[in-house]
Amino acid sequence: MNRQAVKLCWLLSLMGLWLCWVAPVSAEPLRLKEGDKVYSLNAHLSYGLMPNDTTVAEVVEQRQAFQPHTDASVLNLGYSAQALWLHFSIHNPGAFAEWILEYGYYPPKTFELYLKGDAGDYQRVDLADNQWPSRYLAYDLPLQPGVNDFLLKIQTSASLTVPLTLSSQKTFAANKQGFYFTQALYFGWVASLILYNLFLCLSLRDRRFGYYVLFASSLASALAFYYGFPQQWLGLKYGDTTTILGTVLFNLASLFAIIFARRFLNTPAHAPFGDRVLRLISLIFLTSIVTVLIWPESTVPSWLLSLGAPVGAIIAMIIAFLCLIRGYKQARFFLIAWSALLLASVVASLRNFGWVDTTPLTSYSIQIGSAIEMLFLAIALADSMRIERMERERLQQASLQDSLANQKVLTSHQSVLEQKVFKRTQNIQASLFKAQSAFKTYMRFGAMISHEFKNPLNAMLNQIETLNLERQHGIDQSEKRLTSIEGQAKRLKTLFEHWLSTDQLISGQLSTDFKTITLQPWLEETRDLIESIHTDHAFAFHLAVNPVTEAVMDATLVQIALFNLVDNACRYSPEDASIRMLAQESGQTLLLEVVNIPRHPMTEEQLNESLGAYCTFSNKQQDSTGLGLSLVGLIAETHEGSLDADLLDEGQVRFVMCLPVVTK
């Protein structure tokens, strides 16, 4: 009998254990005992994960398979792509009617609350007309006397954390005062740091302060969404938008934290390999941002954020430690600040995955750690500025000492240097005076040679014409006329020889000096010189040359050619006529163009003849040897260019010199 009794006891024990494993025990209903009190539903929940499209009727059929949560801690199942269904009951003795149910966590994408009616069916009670204006989801519960049976569906891409509380209307508002006070302190503290460092960024033009501002602003904004402040005060609806914005902001805060770490530690210089690793960590947060924007319902962005934040913090701390031992003193306060962020990130990640309990300390770990981190990062920035200022002062002192030493050396050789400089200055002044004199003479003959040639030639022709008239009338004064002609011829010969001796322009071949010049200032100087010589004519000078365009040419010869073109136009144009000049670059060619209206219209044949040497016309007032234009053609050929002339509308004559000298 004793053996049979023992066997029976063992059998009953095994059956009990099997029943406990197969058929979980249902959670106890929450019993209301006092009217002004806050009740937690943590220990009164049963839950199950089901597909997102599961209906309420299907949930009711499978409710017996729900797992009970009888622990007083907050239910946290980590991340899941399925919908979480909760069942809980509230026993109302009938004396307390006005109650508020609050879901005190990050707003989920789906929140559906059902109350079992008298007919046994479940009806939704989370309606817009009974929702409270709170930072989290809060609804009036229509509790009836007796046991009220509820089903709650929650779907979110964040952590499946379910802190459900039941409060009377009186205690619901009273219990928020302490929270709002602490949050006001935190956000006021962060705002002051942001504004102060923004001012430093704008004043000092230091990007480190700018990245600090971006990091602090992103993190503060993310925490504001996390605690539901935009939903409460800005009227944002709970759903996909708030979830996406919150996830994006947390990822941006992590991304800016990595960028700030790279900038502050100067990782490209002090830790190149660590800099590449931090860049890869940044890609994790960028991937998370892109994923949440493309695939909002996925839990992948939250996974990436929960894994990337502590990993990035650990790597940044290792790099900071390496920089510190290598002599980068600015990393010491950074290490302290990053240690606080690392601890907060690890605790938050463990809580998100459900590996540690959800308590006020773990829930607010990011906020606590970020407050400490922001403080020490601000101190680290100030310390960095102090160290850099001391380093600048040290370098300035060393530079001053070097300057004093150089001053002594310079002073000892000052007398010798002064003598050399004085002698060199005299040589330069003499050379400059000689060059200026030669240039002035050169320009004067280039501009006025046609006029000087015309006077003796006209005098010679007048003497010859007078001699012919005297012979017709029987008067013989040939000796006097020949003497006058001989004098004018000698003068013409002297002028011509003087012209030939001016830099040997015409001596059978041209003597050239090709140099690289900038076209625009040279053309402006030439324009001013032309206007100063021909004050009795109006000029319209147009430059179509790039300010930095350069050319390789003999600038003096080209200037003489342009002077001759202008002088030719002035001589044959009325005094009140306007002469148009154009200088432009076309590819690798410089075009110098002079347009005028002659007193007497020219034919195409006369225009072509004018380009030859020693060309004359019958009109005495307009006689010209044509030497100036032939010289222009010779200068153009020397530069492998050409001189062209054509007739335009309204009797205008245009001379164009093309010089392929532009080098850009």
Side-chain angles (χ1 to χ4, degrees):
M1 293 295 296
N2 292 335
R3 290 183 178 180
Q4 291 180 353
V6 172
K7 290 181 179 180
L8 181 60
C9 291
W10 274 104
L11 181 60
L12 291 175
S13 300
L14 292 174
M15 290 180 64
L17 291 174
W18 180 81
L19 289 173
C20 292
W21 179 72
V22 174
V25 179
S26 299
E28 292 290 333
L30 173 64
R31 297 181 179 274
L32 304 180
K33 298 179 180 180
E34 299 182 20
D36 296 333
K37 189 177 180 181
V38 178
Y39 294 93
S40 173
L41 291 170
N42 294 334
H44 305 278
L45 302 175
S46 298
Y47 65 92
L49 293 173
M50 297 185 180
N52 297 331
D53 55 353
T54 305
T55 63
V56 178
E58 293 173 345
V59 172
V60 173
E61 293 177 358
Q62 304 178 38
R63 192 170 64 83
Q64 296 300 325
F66 279 17
Q67 298 292 324
H69 184 266
T70 57
D71 193 353
S73 61
V74 177
L75 175 63
N76 186 358
L77 301 180
Y79 295 100
S80 175
Q82 292 183 309
L84 173 64
W85 283 89
L86 299 168
H87 172 263
F88 59 91
S89 299
I90 301 176
H91 183 269
N92 183 19
F96 319 116
E98 297 178 349
W99 293 91
I100 300 173
L101 179 67
E102 182 182 32
Y103 175 72
Y105 190 62
Y106 200 67
K109 297 174 59 177
T110 302
F111 185 90
E112 298 176 2
L113 181 63
Y114 298 90
L115 174 62
K116 186 176 182 181
D118 296 336
D121 57 338
Y122 284 85
Q123 301 293 330
R124 286 194 64 172
V125 294
D126 56 318
L127 305 177
D129 56 355
N130 69 334
Q131 184 176 0
W132 273 73
S134 174
R135 61 190 182 91
Y136 289 139
L137 290 174
Y139 295 94
D140 280 324
L141 284 186
L143 295 180
Q144 301 296 326
V147 178
N148 296 264
D149 201 47
F150 292 91
L151 286 176
L152 175 60
K153 178 183 179 181
I154 296 175
Q155 181 184 356
T156 180
S157 58
S159 176
L160 278 174
T161 304
V162 190
L164 290 175
T165 56
L166 189 67
S167 308
S168 64
Q169 294 185 2
K170 181 178 180 181
T171 57
F172 181 76
N175 291 335
K176 305 300 180 184
Q177 303 304 318
F179 173 80
Y180 284 126
F181 177 75
T182 56
Q183 293 304 312
L185 290 178
Y186 173 79
F187 285 102
W189 164 261
V190 174
S192 63
L193 289 176
I194 291 174
L195 292 176
Y196 176 71
N197 284 276
L198 178 61
F199 173 76
L200 292 178
C201 175
L202 297 176
S203 302
L204 302 176
R205 298 292 191 271
D206 193 330
R207 292 186 179 180
R208 294 176 299 178
F209 293 96
Y211 291 130
Y212 177 89
V213 169
L214 291 174
F215 160 67
S217 300
S218 301
L219 183 58
S221 301
L223 289 173
F225 271 91
Y226 182 79
Y227 294 125
F229 295 134
Q231 294 87 323
Q232 180 180 4
W233 293 330
L234 300 181
L236 296 180
K237 295 183 179 180
Y238 296 94
D240 290 344
T241 302
T242 55
T243 303
I244 293 173
L245 286 175
T247 305
V248 169
L249 287 171
F250 271 117
N251 280 281
L252 283 177
S254 302
L255 178 62
F256 287 132
I258 295 297
I259 296 176
F260 173 80
R262 292 179 56 241
R263 183 73 179 183
F264 184 87
L265 298 174
N266 194 12
T267 52
H270 297 104
F273 179 76
D275 182 73
R276 291 192 290 269
V277 175
L278 289 179
R279 288 175 181 268
L280 293 176
I281 296 297
S282 301
L283 292 178
I284 296 178
F285 303 118
L286 290 175
T287 304
S288 179
I289 293 173
V290 174
T291 305
V292 75
L293 294 176
I294 298 176
W295 192 11
E297 64 275 7
S298 173
T299 59
V300 173
S302 299
W303 274 77
L304 291 175
L305 177 62
S306 297
L307 291 175
V311 171
I314 293 173
I315 294 175
M317 279 194 62
I318 295 174
I319 295 174
F321 181 74
L322 293 176
C323 292
L324 182 62
I325 62 177
R326 291 174 182 175
Y328 190 68
K329 298 179 180 179
Q330 291 90 327
R332 50 187 177 181
F333 284 105
F334 181 89
L335 269 175
I336 300 174
W338 222 254
S339 300
L341 181 64
L342 172 61
L343 181 60
S345 300
V346 171
V347 172
S349 297
L350 294 176
R351 195 212 63 78
N352 289 337
F353 285 107
W355 295 339
V356 297
D357 292 341
T358 300
T359 64
L361 181 61
T362 58
S363 298
Y364 295 102
S365 60
I366 288 293
Q367 199 169 21
I368 298 171
S370 64
I372 299 174
E373 183 213 16
M374 289 180 189
L375 172 62
F376 279 99
L377 284 182
I379 296 175
L381 285 171
D383 182 64
S384 176
M385 295 296 295
R386 182 186 65 83
I387 294 175
E388 292 174 359
R389 178 177 57 81
M390 293 175 61
E391 183 66 17
R392 284 195 301 269
E393 291 177 353
R394 186 187 66 81
L395 293 176
Q396 290 174 356
Q397 185 67 25
S399 177
L400 180 60
Q401 292 178 355
D402 293 340
S403 299
L404 292 176
N406 294 332
Q407 184 81 23
K408 293 179 180 179
V409 175
L410 292 174
T411 303
S412 63
H413 297 84
Q414 184 174 1
S415 59
V416 178
L417 290 175
E418 287 179 352
Q419 293 176 0
K420 291 183 178 179
V421 169
F422 180 75
K423 186 176 180 180
R424 180 61 177 169
T425 302
Q426 287 182 329
N427 294 335
I428 292 175
Q429 288 178 347
S431 300
L432 181 60
F433 178 77
K434 183 178 179 181
Q436 289 176 345
S437 300
F439 183 75
K440 289 179 180 179
T441 303
Y442 190 81
M443 292 297 101
R444 183 173 64 253
F445 276 91
M448 304 302 296
I449 189 65
S450 297
H451 177 73
E452 294 297 334
F453 278 176
K454 182 177 66 175
N455 292 335
L457 287 174
N458 288 337
M460 293 170 65
L461 292 174
N462 289 334
Q463 293 295 327
I464 293 172
E465 185 177 356
T466 303
L467 178 62
N468 292 330
L469 290 175
E470 288 177 347
R471 284 181 178 179
Q472 293 176 1
H473 292 83
I475 302 173
D476 187 10
Q477 294 186 3
S478 57
E479 184 177 356
K480 177 181 178 180
R481 304 302 174 197
L482 291 175
T483 302
S484 177
I485 292 173
E486 182 182 5
Q488 295 296 334
K490 290 181 178 179
R491 180 186 177 191
L492 181 62
K493 180 181 178 182
T494 301
L495 289 173
F496 192 77
E497 289 178 351
H498 195 184
W499 169 249
L500 291 180
S501 65
T502 304
D503 200 23
Q504 298 179 352
L505 279 176
I506 301 175
S507 59
Q509 63 180 4
L510 292 178
S511 176
T512 57
D513 184 16
F514 287 87
K515 293 182 179 179
T516 301
I517 65 168
T518 303
L519 284 178
Q520 181 168 337
W522 175 80
L523 288 169
E524 291 175 350
E525 178 185 359
T526 303
R527 175 196 61 196
D528 297 338
L529 192 55
I530 289 174
E531 291 178 348
S532 66
I533 293 175
H534 298 281
T535 58
D536 54 343
H537 284 81
F539 294 91
F541 203 107
H542 180 63
L543 294 179
V545 177
N546 192 295
V548 298
T549 299
E550 295 182 341
V552 178
M553 63 182 184
D554 190 327
T556 304
L557 290 180
V558 177
Q559 197 173 60
I560 290 177
L562 186 57
F563 280 2
N564 276 275
L565 290 176
V566 174
D567 184 73
N568 183 74
C570 293
R571 185 169 56 251
Y572 289 95
S573 300
E575 292 183 358
D576 58 345
S578 176
I579 298 174
R580 187 174 77 248
M581 291 178 286
L582 171 65
Q584 66 177 0
E585 56 178 303
S586 177
Q588 302 295 320
T589 302
L590 173 64
L591 302 177
L592 299 175
E593 178 180 310
V594 178
V595 179
N596 70 298
I597 302 178
R599 292 188 181 91
H600 303 282
M602 297 184 66
T603 63
E604 192 77 29
E605 182 179 359
Q606 289 176 329
L607 187 63
N608 293 331
E609 290 178 357
S610 68
L611 299 179
Y614 310 110
C615 175
T616 61
F617 297 105
S618 60
N619 191 324
K620 294 183 179 181
Q621 299 297 327
Q622 302 297 330
D623 274 352
S624 171
T625 61
L627 183 61
L629 294 181
S630 65
L631 181 61
V632 173
L634 184 59
I635 293 174
E637 291 176 1
T638 304
H639 289 78
E640 299 181 356
S642 62
L643 174 64
D644 301 312
D646 55 354
L647 297 177
L648 304 179
D649 297 335
E650 301 178 358
Q652 294 180 338
V653 179
R654 177 175 64 183
F655 292 90
V656 181
M657 183 167 59
C658 303
L659 304 176
V661 296
V662 178
T663 61
K664 295 294 183 184

